[in-house]
Amino acid sequence: MSGINSSKLIQWFNQVKRDLPWRKTKEPYAIWVSEVMLQQTQVITVIPYYLRFMKRFPDLFALAEAEQEEVLELWRGLGYYSRARRLWEGARYVVQMTEGRMPENYDALLTIKGVGEYTAAAIASIAYEERVPVMDGNVKRVLSRILRWEEDVEKARSRRFFLEYLKEVIPGDCPGDFNQGMMELGATVCTPKNPRCEQCPLQEDCESFALGDPQVYPVKKSKEKPTEAFRPTLILLHRGQVLLKKRPTTGLLANLWEFPGEEMMIPSLEKFREGKEWYGLYKNQISDPTYDEIVKELLSRNPSVKGPLVHTFSHRRWQMVWVVLDLDDVIDKSSEVRAGKDSQLKEDGLCWMDVKELDRIALPVAFQKIWTKLQER
DNA sequence: AATTCGGGGAG
DNA sequence: CTCCCAGAATT
């Protein structure tokens, strides 16, 4: 193997690197936050989230002292919400175990939940200049082109080979710049489509450039299509408030808020479109009997079923339909009906929220879409 | 080894 | 539309 000209890469990196907020520091905590946010998320998306997050939680202690709820609120819209929970848990773990001193090497960093091989290597190499290679999507693409790697880059064999290769070529000085250089190269020059080979500092090392076929790499098998589902949703309004429900602590959109409803298979969509089945859904979601009669009355008036509005996740696709039930259309002595009932609602994770608060809480984008649509009238 | 975790940028 | 993104944990 010919190898990578690491000094040329590092020199290139220091000339052209983008001016990013997390490159102004070598604080391991700050690097940690940035690396977690950058998991499966593009730089341009992360920047505003990172700035807000670091302003609110400037150090490990600020984060460790916070409520999980507030961390999720700041994470809203960024996706992969378990990252936020684990970052928060990790901060508390470090504060508790070592009085807030970050683990100072790759192996120790790995003991933090939510810190995997990539993130541990990134923090160790950038903050501590430890000679450990990172491997992310950028690095896989760059290496697959340099080596003309014909196997699926997602396979374990590929990963092992790339890591062994990188261990050989990563330099002892400025390993962090080498790692960031590889990623910067993938992000700005060795891009998935139309790579800018004329700008590449590793052009002479690149077998696929020599043979003129960089665009055929990396080899990977095509992805599965998202599973189709639909999502009937109840919008209950009452005196300027809307009924929200806390999602389960695991799985999709864990610990976030939603409008009551549940995911179902597509075949049952028609019944909901026809206005049937909504009361069954309601009782399924809201065991508290307080509003049963009112909801029955409102549903008997055949409220129009709105939607569908489509929201796509990585491997699931929701067709969302919803009905709006304004309790004020039935009640005039409303304060009386609600008095003393909130405690019962709480057992279902339910909560009346001021409409004004909706843009502050951790409400997933899927439900923001519904609310936005609903406001347009 | 394969699945499950979001949401948005770019072409 | 499709593909991909400074991945990690679970099964």
Side-chain angles (χ1 to χ4, degrees), chain A residues 69-87:
Chain A
E69 181 72 20
E70 189 181 357
V71 181
L72 288 173
E73 284 169 17
L74 277 183
W75 211 269
R76 155 168 131 146
L78 197 54
Y80 284 172
Y81 298 93
S82 65
R83 292 183 296 176
R85 178 175 50 79
R86 293 189 184 116
L87 179 58

Side-chain angles (χ1 to χ4, degrees), chain A residues 222-266:
Chain A
S222 59
K223 285 179 182 166
E224 296 296 318
K225 286 190 175 175
T227 304
E228 295 283 347
F230 95 103
R231 165 60 208 235
T233 301
L234 290 160
I235 313 290
L236 267 65
L237 301 174
H238 181 39
R239 303 186 72 191
Q241 295 188 307
V242 59
L243 191 62
L244 292 179
K245 190 168 186 186
K246 198 80 163 175
R247 288 184 61 85
T249 55
T250 59
L252 185 70
L253 306 172
N255 296 328
L256 304 195
W257 292 99
E258 67 180 348
F259 301 125
E262 58 190 271
E263 180 185 70
M264 308 184 77
M265 294 304 103
I266 289 289

Side-chain angles (χ1 to χ4, degrees), chain A residues 159-337:
Chain A
R159 214 176 54 80
R160 281 198 300 273
F161 183 87
F162 288 166
L163 271 178
E164 286 306 310
Y165 182 87
L166 288 166
K167 280 183 189 170
E168 299 293 329
V169 298
I170 187 174
D173 57 328
C174 304
D177 284 351
F178 174 83
N179 284 335
Q180 292 184 83
M182 290 290 286
M183 296 189 284
E184 188 84 352
L185 189 62
T188 64
V189 173
C190 197
T191 49
K193 296 172 183 174
N194 308 114
R196 303 169 172 85
C197 296
E198 71 283 358
Q199 299 179 21
C200 183
L202 302 182
Q203 193 186 95
E204 295 174 15
D205 305 325
C206 185
E207 292 184 26
S208 74
F209 175 77
L211 293 182
D213 63 350
Q215 68 286 348
V216 311
Y217 305 96
V219 175
K220 52 177 71 174
K221 68 172 182 184
S222 59
K223 285 179 182 166
E224 296 296 318
K225 286 190 175 175
T227 304
E228 295 283 347
F230 95 103
R231 165 60 208 235
T233 301
L234 290 160
I235 313 290
L236 267 65
L237 301 174
H238 181 39
R239 303 186 72 191
Q241 295 188 307
V242 59
L243 191 62
L244 292 179
K245 190 168 186 186
K246 198 80 163 175
R247 288 184 61 85
T249 55
T250 59
L252 185 70
L253 306 172
N255 296 328
L256 304 195
W257 292 99
E258 67 180 348
F259 301 125
E262 58 190 271
E263 180 185 70
M264 308 184 77
M265 294 304 103
I266 289 289
S268 43
L269 193 154
E270 270 317 306
K271 290 181 179 176
F272 283 86
R273 289 229 61 104
E274 293 164 7
K276 306 171 184 173
E277 302 287 335
W278 285 97
Y279 188 71
L281 175 68
Y282 169 80
K283 280 315 292 177
N284 230 359
Q285 294 298 312
I286 296 148
S287 56
D288 184 297
T290 306
Y291 308 107
D292 286 5
E293 295 308 317
I294 303 170
V295 168
K296 272 181 189 168
E297 166 64 18
L298 285 168
L299 285 172
S300 73
R301 300 177 185 180
N302 294 319
S304 64
V305 179
K306 305 295 186 184
L309 192 158
V310 175
H311 185 78
T312 307
F313 304 95
S314 302
H315 57 290
R316 197 162 321 185
R317 182 183 148 95
W318 276 0
Q319 290 188 48
M320 310 180 78
V321 295
W322 66 96
V323 292
V324 179
L325 303 179
D326 192 340
L327 303 194
D328 296 340
D329 290 348
V330 175
I331 321 169
D332 4 57
K333 42 187 197 298
S334 38
S335 54
E336 196 176 310
V337 177

